[in-house]
Amino acid sequence: MGGRSKYLPSSQVYDSTFSSVQYYNKSLEDLYETLREKTLADKRRLKEIEKARRKEFEAYQGKVYRICAKVWRNTFGYFGEEWLFLAVLGIFVAIISYSIDQGAGMCGKARSMLSNGLADRYFSKWIAWVCLPVVLILWDVGITSLIAPKAVGSGVPQIKTCLRGVYLKEFLTLRVLIAKWMGITATLGSGMPLGKEGPLIQMSSIIVTKMSKFMSSFKSVYLNENKKMELIGAAYAVGVACTFNSPIGGVLFSVEISTAYFAVRNYWRGFFAAVWGATVYRLLYVWIDGVDTIRVVFPTSFINDFPYDPLELISFAILGVICGVGGCFYICILRAFNRFINGSKRINWIKKQNRFIYPFFVVMIISTVTWPPGIGQFIASDLTPKDQVVTLFSNFTWTQGNHTVAQQEVLNHWTTKWSGIYTNLVVFIFYQFLASIFASSMPIPSGCFIPNFRSGAALGRIAGELLALWFPNGVRYGGKVTRIMPGAYATVGAVAWSGAVTHTLSTAVIMFEMTSQISHVIPVLISNLIANGIARFFTPSIYDLAIKAGKLPYLPDLLPSSSAVYQIFVEDFMVKNVKHVYLGITHGELKNMLKEHKQLKVFPLVDNVHNMILLGSVSRMELIDLVECQIGFRKRLQIVRRLEETESETNIAELDEKGETEEKEQLRLRIFSKYNLNRMGFPGSAQRKKEAIKEKLKVIRICDLPSADQTSWEENQLSQEVDFASCQIDPAPFQLVERTSLLKVHSLFSMMNLNTAYVTAMGKLVGVVGGKELRKAISDANSGIFPVEADEANKGGEIRPAENLPLLKKG
């Protein structure tokens, strides 16, 4: 064509070229039009199939359910049901938080009435003061152990582990919600120095789980685990918001505590649900208790014109250092006490004898210490925990004279005939410090944030009062005199101490929302940053400490100063002896592998044992179904029916009529009977009973073939190759290459919530790494142990090689 064109005129060449281009463009337009029509036809066909499937599904549902589903689809379904989901979540958690406060308040009033209503005999007053906490705590222990033992403790470490990707479903059940709800009400009503922040977060997460299960009937996306994790992150924020009436701080606290990597798309969920929860929580006090308006939790009235002098920033920084050291000391004492409790043979023996003995002694000791005529007069035990914090945040100086009647009434709670404010505040700090550690060892629902918050407030109050005593006329700077406000130091100390214990900076925002004061934002942030830096360097957070103590499968953080993370690769700590299935494996081999490796939840699928090319992964349940379909109940039932049909057609049996009837009757009983071993009578000892059961099971086979053909039929079925086309295979399991650094592996596992990753070399499966191997590698890297050193130490029996470690269970 090109050779002939040189003999044609230029106009003809141009016309032919233009026509060919036009024809080509027209062909493309026709092709695109055909594809668009085909796509639209496919969409219409899928829509009709979905509509027919929905009608068929609705035929099996009740009339009320169909009406509700139709109303839902035509109303909220158009706008997105997730908005309503989060709003309902906030409302439910707000109602739970309000009911806990009311229940605890009623218990506190009843305790005061019992103590003050009796005669002046001290012993009677002590009995009245102690009896109600003892009853509440013992009831709390009993109801928790009977309904849900998993409801013990804070719940934050477990939810943090769930957000990491390891779904602990036993901590997210309705029984745990009920036990947690009733238990934390009794815990706070007893007057123990514990909080409700952690239990409320766990209860909020349980509500999300149950609501997701309900919503999955309308939309299947709520069955997805990633979707559920996103909603649990919002539940985290709602729990904090309904505890401190702090929606913004609740969201930031959930981001800091929950995961190492937080998706920005989840922010709106947390904010929306937290605002609903905090608003309804405070409105319930207006609607039910008759409060005139929505008020903050801890009202303060600091001076806003000149709140502090610039020179006071030095004192705030020193207070941050003291709170950081105090938070580290608290974590160390808590860790040592937990080790002592778990390692003490006598205490463990007492707990095994009776679960109520140890809590009884703990509540008796703490209640006796808080008895107002005794040591309780030094710790303002006649005030409620909320009033204690409000008085610590008061904006007048306690050490100066000329107090009003209201101010003197506040001082009467913090002074005695034998001691002044400094002695009482020091005793209060020691009480909160030790009693919270002592009380947290009881098997009851409890929180750990509020006791540390009160300890920090008392420490800050001491610092503020000392500065006011040393500088009675205030601090002069630039020709202006700024008076010292001890209440401001109390707020700074509360934020710094609680932030050091929890390793969070969002406690500053929570404080601003709880007090409605933002004048001391710079001192609060400076003190909190310093306390956090000290605490992070020396000790883990209180939640990480609980994770380690409970041995939860949580991935620790890498130390930034460790250079070993760049020199350790996945090939150094992966499991090389990978248990796998391959194309051509027989059912018998598959059955034996499932029996031998019961801890594995997922098996990699390769092409053959020589090439080891990774094709995908298959879950354990799918493999069990393959074996079950080959030799299970349904397969045996099909064979039995086929034999019966063959016998009826050929009619070659020479048995007499009576024998044939008996044999068919026995066969029918084998197929359709549900055997209950408890109904079988076995005389004699337990060992003889077990032997008799085994003999019975050898004869009686559930839904089985005749015993003569049983063994040969099973061997024949198990010798056949497995057809993996009939099961669901994950064609793209997460894979790593051998030279992936430890830092990158840690980032991928944390960001994508992974539990297992396969290691390949040009498609060949060479190893697998799970959370357990990764945690050990991180521990070695943080300790400065390199793989070569670990191998040498292992030869001496100090460290096990990674290839000998079992895989982590998925889920």
Side-chain angles (χ1 to χ4, degrees), residues 114-128 371 373:
L114 284 174
S115 178
N116 299 330
L118 295 176
D120 293 335
R121 293 173 295 178
Y122 283 102
F123 183 74
S124 299
K125 284 183 173 292
W126 175 76
I127 292 294
W371 185 41

Side-chain angles (χ1 to χ4, degrees), residues 31 92 108 193 242 264 357 378 425 491 527 601 652 674:
L31 178 61
F92 280 169
C242 293
V264 179
I357 297 177
F378 299 99
L425 288 173
T491 59
S527 181
K601 301 300 180 183
I652 60 174
K674 293 182 180 179

Side-chain angles (χ1 to χ4, degrees), residues 192-212:
M192 295 295 102
L194 298 169
K196 68 171 183 177
E197 166 242 353
L200 200 62
I201 289 174
Q202 187 175 3
M203 286 187 284
S204 179
S205 303
I206 295 172
I207 293 175
V208 161
T209 305
K210 298 306 173 183
M211 289 178 62
S212 298

